[in-house]
Structure formats: C-alpha cells, structure tokens
Amino acid sequence: MTVEALLIWLIVGAVAGWLAGQIVKGHGFGLAGNIVVGIVGAFLAGWLLPGLGLGLSGIVGSIIYAALGAIILLLLIGLIKRA
C-alpha cells in the first residue's frame, strides 16, 4: 500500500465517521474515533451494500459508501447498548 493510498483511507474514514456521528448521535468521536468508525463502516458497507445493488465510484462515492456503513455500524452499536 502506498503512502497516498493510506492517506486517502484515513481521509475517507475521518470524513465518513464524522458524517455518521453527526447523523446518528449529533456529534463526532474525535479524529481517531471518526477514522476507526469510518473505516469499519466502509468494510461493513462493502460487505452489505453490493447485495442490494448499490455501487458508487470515485472519492465522493467512497465517502458516501463509508458513511452509510458507519451509520449502520453506529445504529447496530446503539441497539446492542440498549439491550
């Protein structure tokens, strides 16, 4: 993995995690937390969303995809915490 690819992963993860935090909880989780939530969300979206026929390309598509996965992740975590 090149340095550029790693930086793109970190930026996409940070933006997606921040967006998901704004939508689900109303605040972010700090830079490191946003990156983790965004990257895990991207993996979750990559696993779930292709089965629904959703496919996006480009950097904006990657951010949207990761944000959708991060929102799903945060909603699942919220459900688990309530139980």
Side-chain angles (χ1 to χ4, degrees), residues 17-59:
W18 177 80
L19 282 172
Q22 295 297 311
I23 292 169
V24 175
K25 296 221 176 204
H27 59 82
F29 302 103
L31 182 60
N34 286 341
I35 290 171
V36 170
V37 168
I39 291 174
V40 172
F43 281 113
L44 182 63
W47 181 62
L48 290 175
L49 298 180
L52 300 174
L54 295 174
L56 302 170
S57 62
I59 190 76

Side-chain angles (χ1 to χ4, degrees), residues 3-82:
V3 173
E4 292 85 10
L6 181 62
L7 287 174
I8 290 171
W9 270 63
L10 293 175
I11 291 169
V12 168
V15 172
W18 177 80
L19 282 172
Q22 295 297 311
I23 292 169
V24 175
K25 296 221 176 204
H27 59 82
F29 302 103
L31 182 60
N34 286 341
I35 290 171
V36 170
V37 168
I39 291 174
V40 172
F43 281 113
L44 182 63
W47 181 62
L48 290 175
L49 298 180
L52 300 174
L54 295 174
L56 302 170
S57 62
I59 190 76
V60 175
S62 297
I63 291 171
I64 292 170
Y65 216 62
L68 287 173
I71 290 168
I72 293 168
L73 174 68
L74 292 177
L75 290 173
L76 288 174
I77 290 172
L79 287 174
I80 292 170
K81 282 187 176 180
R82 288 185 197 168

